[in-house]
Amino acid sequence: MQSSSDILKQYWGYAQFRSPQDKIIDAVLNKQDTVAILPTGGGKSVCFQVPALMQEGICLVITPLIALMQDQVKQLKQRGIAAVAVHAGMHHREIDITLDNCIYGHQKFLYLSPERLQTDLFKERVKKMKVNLVAIDEAHCISQWGYDFRPPYLKIAELREIHPEVPFIALTASATAQVKADIIDKLQLKQPAVFQKSFARDNLSLVVRKSELKEKKLLEVLRKVAGPAIVYVRSRKATVVLATFLKKNSISATYYHAGLTHAERTTRQEEWITNRCRVMVATNAFGMGIDKADVRVVVHMDLPENLEAYYQEAGRAGRDGKRSYAAILYHDSDLDSLKLKVEQAQPALAVLKNTYQALANFFHVALGSSQGESFDFDLEVFCKKLSLKSTEVYPALKKLEEFGLIEFNESFYRPSVLHFSFDNKKLYEFQVAHARFDPLIKALLRLYGGELYSDFTTISETQIAQMMRLTVGAVKLELEQLHNLQVLVYEPVSDSPKITLVTARQDAAKLPIDIKEFDRRRTLHLNKMEAMLAYTAQTHRCRMQLIQEYFDEKTDVNCGRCDVCIGKRKKENTALFKDYEQQVNYLLTQKPMTVDELELAVDPAEKEVFIEVIREMVDSEELYYDEVWVLHRR
């Protein structure tokens, strides 16, 4: 058997593990239940992927986000590792074949959402699988004390009854002591090995700036901190407006949100990852699963709903270990705006019932039917047809998802897939009897081979059309005809949001929602919002220390890098501050200079204090930037 280091080198190209990855892998290989709490960028995936590759059998990976599982499957396949995913939106025959291949084929990883575990089809097939490990990603979703609770996660422990000897590994980037205890309890982990890396990030400077001119302040931040950046905003419209603003000010920027097509999202993401575009302006739909280590700054122009979400997004800066920054830019109205947003995100129970009934009417779903069925969903069309307000419907959908009644995927994408229903002998007979379809069938076999008989295969109608010298429309029409003749199963590309009924359609008047739990969840969300507001507005405690304390990591060590710590150092060493101020004034009297030129000339022992000096001099209008970001004295 290859060693874990050999596997890491072979598939990932790394010479050694990051602490504590190697210890986590050893625990898994020793068949021990394991909990791994590693901050964003801590390399959680390697902790289950490496030991799974070292053992015979398949690893089940349970994760709540379709986009994330699709991304991980793609990355594994690019490394030459057999991996598949089962999720809402797949044709039932495709799910059937995929699960069969996990039993009789050579798959190493099966990614699936927790909702899929509840289907009879999966329950029967998993009994026949040789499972070597169950990995639960985003494990905080199992806790009712977590910010992103998903009731279907509570069903995961049922796998223990089917495969009692198989170890579980639970992974998350954010868990308080209460959530950690819940993970261990609800997953029925037996004397688990618990690994928790400190939430402190030695290379990350946390900064909060209050400003009435946030866009101007953003320009200053991006000018002072070179390198790739992510700027988070709340609305889709704001991504477009702010990216346009940055480009007008000579900063390369693009934007990303769930409303873009898959092709648009892929293109923009690739431009940013390859540094053809410096700044990504995005909603929180961006970032999950993104493997870019050299992000130098993450800026929040709008306040996140809680500290878990904030620290996960802020943690996308500096994953390469080099000095990076996470900044919040706000003014007083933003505090009120967040309060309103979180209040709106906690709709009354009556709104949930009305929205659920509206979904049943819209999709013509009979009572007691359609469990696991997925529907294309356009929020605007839905609201317009039923005379509903999107500002009420959207939070109601998210809350129905939180209570395990539906899945709501806002950025679902699945390419066209195809599978022959006939074996090669029967298909040949069909070709002889129906000569007009013969060229298309031959083209499919030339392009995609025998895999079409055994599995659902991703196809490109454009590629087929080019080979046959037909239009794409003509190819799609012939494929649909073959589908209707049951010669093959053809599922055209899907790029629209999806609603999936997790349970059979309920009576809206009697939704299985516990009132006490409903009220408790509302209070929990509001308390988390208050913690976010307190973090933002306070100016006396080290920010990294506050983050650590929030996650129950007690420490009296100050980071020395956040805005609060630097402010204290300024007060404690006014002489140094004054000295830097005088040197900057003197140098700019000689000639205008950039921040980098000033830093090179002064060579400050306290770099953060020096940058703070310049910031305060700009804020007090002693200095100003020109259009090419050169500093001048007034």
Side-chain angles (χ1 to χ4, degrees):
M1 184 176 74
Q2 284 182 291
S3 70
S4 57
S5 297
D6 290 339
I7 294 285
L8 184 72
K9 181 69 175 175
Q10 179 182 343
Y11 292 107
W12 282 269
Y14 298 131
Q16 60 186 30
F17 292 102
R18 280 181 275 172
S19 177
Q21 287 175 329
D22 51 349
K23 292 184 174 62
I24 294 171
I25 289 167
D26 287 343
V28 172
L29 290 172
N30 287 327
K31 301 294 183 184
Q32 190 171 9
D33 285 342
T34 305
V35 178
I37 303 171
L38 305 178
T40 300
K44 293 187 291 297
S45 298
V46 166
C47 295
F48 65 83
Q49 289 170 348
V50 169
L53 286 168
M54 295 174 68
Q55 303 175 83
E56 187 183 350
I58 191 168
C59 173
L60 305 182
V61 187
I62 299 153
T63 184
L65 300 170
I66 291 178
L68 185 57
M69 68 171 75
Q70 288 175 328
D71 183 65
Q72 289 213 2
V73 167
K74 180 182 175 184
Q75 287 184 26
L76 286 168
K77 285 182 173 179
Q78 286 172 345
R79 292 188 169 100
I81 299 168
V84 290
V86 169
H87 52 73
M90 290 171 66
H91 189 277
H92 65 87
R93 181 70 180 129
E94 185 179 0
I95 294 174
D96 192 29
I97 289 172
T98 299
L99 293 177
D100 261 0
N101 286 340
C102 291
I103 299 169
Y104 306 111
H106 301 285
Q107 299 296 341
K108 288 302 297 181
F109 294 93
L110 169 59
Y111 281 77
L112 65 164
S113 67
E115 288 80 5
R116 297 293 100 191
L117 300 178
Q118 299 177 45
T119 64
D120 292 336
L121 181 62
F122 174 78
K123 287 177 181 177
E124 286 306 310
R125 298 300 171 82
V126 75
K127 292 175 185 176
K128 300 176 184 177
M129 292 180 198
K130 186 174 179 58
V131 180
N132 62 30
L133 179 63
V134 176
I136 302 97
D137 203 6
E138 309 296 333
H140 59 270
C141 294
I142 203 170
S143 175
Q144 294 179 322
W145 301 102
Y147 70 101
D148 198 18
F149 174 57
R150 295 278 290 267
Y153 264 71
L154 296 171
K155 301 286 187 180
I156 295 172
E158 293 176 5
L159 285 170
R160 289 240 178 245
E161 299 169 16
I162 302 169
H163 292 289
E165 76 291 348
V166 174
F168 278 29
I169 177 171
L171 308 107
T172 180
S174 54
T176 62
Q178 199 171 29
V179 170
K180 180 169 64 177
D182 234 10
I183 290 170
I184 294 169
D185 176 52
K186 299 296 193 301
L187 288 175
Q188 299 175 21
L189 302 185
K190 307 161 201 165
Q191 299 180 319
V194 179
F195 299 89
Q196 183 163 355
K197 199 169 181 179
S198 173
F199 284 91
R201 289 275 304 277
D202 294 340
N203 67 315
L204 187 61
S205 297
L206 301 173
V207 178
V208 178
R209 299 287 185 226
K210 185 176 179 181
S211 174
E212 295 302 315
L213 301 169
K214 291 198 296 182
E215 288 77 11
K216 179 184 175 185
K217 186 62 65 181
L218 174 64
L219 290 175
E220 289 179 20
V221 169
L222 294 176
R223 184 56 191 164
K224 283 189 282 190
V225 182
I230 306 173
V231 179
Y232 281 110
V233 292
R234 185 170 296 150
S235 72
R236 296 177 181 184
K237 182 180 178 182
T239 65
V240 181
V241 171
L242 197 54
T244 303
F245 169 77
L246 291 176
K247 284 188 278 191
K248 283 181 179 177
N249 283 275
S250 304
I251 292 178
S252 171
T254 188
Y255 62 91
Y256 185 108
H257 57 71
L260 297 172
T261 66
H262 174 73
E264 288 172 325
R265 293 196 301 272
T266 301
T267 299
R268 292 167 193 272
Q269 184 173 298
E270 189 62 24
E271 285 175 347
W272 179 75
I273 286 174
T274 57
N275 293 325
R276 284 177 284 151
C277 180
R278 182 191 166 201
V279 181
M280 177 63 80
V281 184
T283 61
N284 62 6
F286 179 78
M288 191 71 74
I290 298 299
D291 188 15
K292 186 170 175 64
D294 62 344
V295 178
R296 296 277 71 88
V297 60
V298 172
V299 182
H300 280 82
M301 298 292 282
D302 294 305
L303 297 176
E305 292 183 33
N306 52 66
L307 279 167
E308 288 99 332
Y310 168 66
Y311 199 53
Q312 186 174 65
E313 290 160 8
R316 290 173 185 142
R319 290 163 79 160
D320 56 5
K322 297 179 181 178
R323 175 57 58 86
S324 303
Y325 298 84
I328 291 175
L329 306 181
Y330 84 103
H331 47 66
D332 287 334
S333 65
D334 290 327
L335 304 179
D336 294 329
S337 176
L338 179 61
K339 289 178 184 177
L340 179 62
K341 180 178 185 292
V342 174
E343 284 283 357
Q344 288 176 336
Q346 308 304 316
L349 188 57
V351 176
L352 262 64
K353 291 179 178 180
N354 290 340
T355 303
Y356 188 87
Q357 183 63 54
L359 287 173
N361 296 343
F362 187 72
F363 295 125
H364 307 291
V365 179
L367 199 64
S369 70
S370 301
Q371 181 177 11
E373 192 171 343
S374 298
F375 305 89
D376 288 341
F377 182 74
D378 186 313
L379 181 63
E380 288 184 21
V381 171
F382 176 76
C383 291
K384 188 174 182 180
K385 187 170 181 179
L386 298 177
S387 301
L388 299 170
K389 294 179 181 177
S390 60
T391 52
E392 285 189 355
V393 169
Y394 181 83
L397 292 173
K398 300 303 284 185
K399 188 61 72 172
L400 287 169
E401 183 174 51
E402 190 177 320
F403 278 93
L405 293 164
I406 66 168
E407 273 186 273
F408 178 30
N409 294 299
E410 297 178 69
S411 55
F412 177 84
Y413 172 76
R414 193 212 60 231
S416 297
V417 292
L418 187 144
H419 168 67
F420 283 140
S421 302
F422 291 175
D423 60 26
N424 55 358
K425 183 173 181 284
K426 195 173 178 183
L427 185 64
Y428 176 73
E429 291 171 357
F430 177 85
Q431 287 172 263
V432 172
H434 302 82
R436 72 187 186 92
F437 290 114
D438 185 59
L440 174 58
I441 292 170
K442 283 179 177 174
L444 288 169
L445 287 168
R446 284 196 198 103
L447 283 169
Y448 306 108
E451 189 181 347
L452 291 166
Y453 292 109
S454 61
D455 202 356
F456 270 78
T457 305
T458 300
I459 64 164
S460 166
E461 293 90 342
T462 303
Q463 190 180 23
I464 298 165
Q466 287 171 348
M467 174 180 269
M468 297 183 67
R469 297 183 180 177
L470 295 174
T471 65
V472 171
V475 168
K476 287 182 176 180
L477 182 61
E478 284 200 32
L479 288 172
E480 286 166 3
Q481 288 172 339
L482 287 170
H483 176 88
N484 292 333
L485 289 167
Q486 298 183 357
V487 175
L488 51 77
V489 179
Y490 168 55
E491 288 289 309
V493 63
S494 175
D495 197 12
S496 58
K498 287 253 192 269
I499 293 280
T500 302
L501 295 185
V502 174
T503 65
R505 187 233 150 152
Q506 309 283 317
D507 180 347
K510 302 174 183 176
L511 287 183
I513 295 176
D514 183 276
I515 300 298
K516 287 184 179 178
E517 176 61 15
F518 182 81
D519 290 339
R520 191 191 69 77
R521 293 293 303 168
R522 183 179 189 280
T523 302
L524 181 70
H525 284 295
L526 292 175
N527 288 344
K528 287 182 179 293
M529 176 265 293
E530 290 293 346
M532 185 71 235
L533 293 176
Y535 170 88
T536 303
Q538 73 88 30
T539 57
H540 62 282
R541 290 276 309 278
C542 167
R543 296 199 183 277
M544 190 63 77
Q545 195 180 87
L546 274 176
I547 293 284
Q548 289 174 266
E549 190 174 284
Y550 180 81
F551 289 111
D552 301 299
E553 185 182 328
K554 305 301 180 186
T555 179
D556 56 3
V557 177
N558 292 327
C559 74
R561 291 174 304 278
C562 70
D563 57 313
V564 175
C565 287
I566 290 169
K568 287 181 179 178
R569 276 154 69 190
K570 171 195 164 186
K571 289 178 182 177
E572 292 164 1
N573 199 341
T574 54
L576 179 65
F577 202 91
K578 199 70 181 172
D579 177 52
Y580 287 158
E581 202 173 59
Q582 288 170 351
Q583 289 189 65
V584 168
N585 270 320
Y586 171 75
L587 288 166
L588 292 182
T589 302
Q590 308 305 304
K591 64 172 185 177
M593 300 173 77
T594 65
V595 173
D596 289 341
E597 288 169 340
L598 281 168
E599 188 179 328
L600 193 63
V602 174
D603 191 21
E606 295 272 12
K607 182 181 175 181
E608 290 93 347
V609 174
F610 177 73
I611 295 297
E612 185 73 6
V613 167
I614 293 176
R615 185 189 72 80
E616 289 199 5
M617 292 177 77
V618 170
D619 286 350
S620 65
E621 299 186 347
E622 295 173 64
L623 309 178
Y624 70 93
Y625 289 101
D626 64 19
E627 65 278 1
V628 291
W629 294 97
V630 174
L631 279 164
H632 299 254
R633 288 190 67 206
R634 290 208 180 268

